[in-house]
Amino acid sequence: MNRLKAKDVAPFRAERLAHQGGLCALCKEPITSTDRVVLDHNHVSGAVRGALHNGCNVTLGKLENAARRYGVNLSQFLLGAYSYQRSSLGVLHPT
């Protein structure tokens, strides 16, 4: 696997974004000229994953850090989170 040089990050990020059709690799929403786009990477291996909105990158980082801290299997958590978040037991919480 090739390691990017610091001077190559910006052009590679632009290339990835174009390859992704101008969409965030995570949320699939357009990344506009006013958005801050970042090159996401795995902080353990260094492997680049894609171009993301800064907010998506920050949120993913917080999830990854919390999952490690609390021993949560992040892949399983994310697979279940979408349907769970939309579920309801038909009872309202008092808050």
Side-chain angles (χ1 to χ4, degrees), residues 48-82:
V48 173
R49 297 184 284 212
L52 304 180
H53 289 107
N54 183 60
C56 289
N57 187 57
V58 169
T59 302
L60 179 61
K62 289 183 182 301
L63 281 170
E64 289 172 334
N65 291 340
R68 276 192 297 274
R69 184 178 311 118
Y70 298 113
V72 172
N73 180 322
L74 184 59
S75 296
Q76 287 301 115
F77 175 84
L78 292 173
L79 285 171
Y82 180 80

Side-chain angles (χ1 to χ4, degrees), residues 2 23 32 41 79:
N2 296 331
L23 303 178
T32 67
H41 64 284
L79 285 171

Side-chain angles (χ1 to χ4, degrees), residues 1 11 28 53 55-56 61 71 84-85 87:
M1 195 175 304
K28 308 300 186 207
H53 289 107
C56 289
Y84 177 79
Q85 193 178 25
S87 69

Side-chain angles (χ1 to χ4, degrees), residues 3-4 6 10-11 21-22 25 29 33 36 42 47 50 61 64 67 72 77 83 94:
R3 183 174 300 278
L4 287 173
E29 293 290 324
S33 60
R36 179 163 177 235
N42 180 307
E64 289 172 334
V72 172
F77 175 84
S83 58

